[in-house]
Amino acid sequence: GRPLGSRLERGPGYTDPASAKRERITLRRMRRNIQVELILNAVNSVLHTEHTIEEVYAKCRKRELVLTRSIYWYFKKKHIPKVSYSTLAGEFSKDHATVLHAVRQVQALLDVHDRTITRIVFLTEQTFVDLIKERDESERLDRLEAEQQMVLKTQRERAKTKARTEIAKKSLENMYKLVSSDQYIPGWIR
């Protein structure tokens, strides 16, 4: 028979766990990235195409899809300068050099007033910035709410500890009263 090993044949439709995990992560990113959808819609309307968000995240090098990713990276780098090229590349399973090249290409095309790029940027930039601000505000509110929850939890824990301490003191006091006279009760209990 065949030797068992890494090339063990699986049944139809089998996906190895690593591939399944990558696929789940990509799907999660696609669901929550409204900004990419915004740019894709602008690219589709300007170039008269019908591409989907799944195609943008796939390993496809069609001009329209590359343009969508490039403009997304350009906006992200322009409006959130702290974000690294590697982080941006990871969203699409690309290399940091790809992102760097794409950002420079978009900037160069804008510098020479390329009509297609200029129209897409004009259509999407303000909405993109608004989405970033909205997301940042939402994250800030979430952090504030989490901090408030932590403060409440800490206050509750302190109150419980204080109550336990009071109960322990009362029980010790009662024990001392039962066992001995007042003169042997320690001062910290009185």
Side-chain angles (χ1 to χ4, degrees), residues 168-190:
K169 277 185 180 180
K170 289 286 183 190
S171 18
L172 275 175
E173 186 179 325
N174 289 336
M175 273 184 6
Y176 274 115
K177 283 181 182 176
L178 288 173
V179 174
S180 64
S181 64
D182 271 350
Q183 63 185 4
Y184 296 113
I185 298 177
W188 60 271
I189 291 182
R190 291 184 208 167

Side-chain angles (χ1 to χ4, degrees), residues 1-189:
R2 289 176 49 139
L4 295 176
S6 63
R7 296 221 172 238
L8 183 66
E9 286 194 27
R10 309 283 182 175
Y14 173 78
T15 307
D16 66 301
S19 296
K21 184 176 181 181
R22 278 193 304 273
E23 205 171 289
R24 282 193 308 273
I25 290 170
T26 302
L27 287 172
R28 201 175 313 129
R29 285 182 188 140
M30 284 190 308
R31 269 188 299 226
R32 68 174 184 224
N33 205 335
I34 300 167
Q35 298 159 345
V36 174
E37 288 182 39
L38 168 76
I39 296 168
L40 178 63
N41 290 338
V43 168
N44 280 338
S45 68
V46 169
L47 299 177
H48 308 293
T49 58
E50 291 294 323
H51 293 291
T52 64
I53 192 79
E54 289 84 12
E55 291 175 308
V56 174
Y57 279 90
K59 290 187 179 281
C60 181
R61 296 191 306 188
K62 287 184 181 176
R63 179 176 180 263
E64 301 86 19
L65 303 176
V66 170
L67 189 60
T68 301
R69 288 190 290 259
S70 300
I71 292 172
Y72 171 75
W73 289 328
Y74 170 77
F75 283 158
K76 277 284 211 184
K77 200 62 185 162
K78 179 179 177 184
H79 296 290
I80 309 173
K82 289 185 265 182
V83 70
S84 70
Y85 287 112
S86 298
T87 304
L88 291 174
E91 290 184 49
F92 294 92
S93 302
K94 303 289 181 191
D95 188 54
H96 76 279
T98 305
V99 177
L100 181 63
H101 175 73
V103 169
R104 287 180 179 168
Q105 281 294 113
V106 171
Q107 186 58 54
L109 289 170
L110 285 171
D111 289 344
V112 296
H113 302 294
D114 181 73
R115 195 173 8 175
T116 304
I117 293 284
T118 306
R119 284 176 62 198
I120 294 169
V121 167
F122 177 76
L123 287 172
T124 57
E125 186 164 24
Q126 188 55 49
T127 310
F128 190 90
V129 171
D130 292 342
L131 286 171
I132 290 173
K133 287 179 184 175
E134 182 180 303
R135 191 202 67 214
D136 289 347
E137 181 65 20
S138 172
E139 287 176 0
R140 188 184 69 75
L141 290 174
D142 289 345
R143 275 195 311 272
L144 184 63
E145 185 179 329
E147 287 173 11
Q148 289 173 344
Q149 291 295 326
M150 287 299 289
V151 167
L152 285 174
K153 185 177 179 181
T154 305
Q155 288 174 346
R156 277 191 227 113
E157 290 298 321
R158 284 182 183 159
K160 285 179 185 176
T161 304
K162 187 176 179 181
R164 283 189 211 119
T165 305
E166 290 298 320
I167 291 170
K169 277 185 180 180
K170 289 286 183 190
S171 18
L172 275 175
E173 186 179 325
N174 289 336
M175 273 184 6
Y176 274 115
K177 283 181 182 176
L178 288 173
V179 174
S180 64
S181 64
D182 271 350
Q183 63 185 4
Y184 296 113
I185 298 177
W188 60 271
I189 291 182

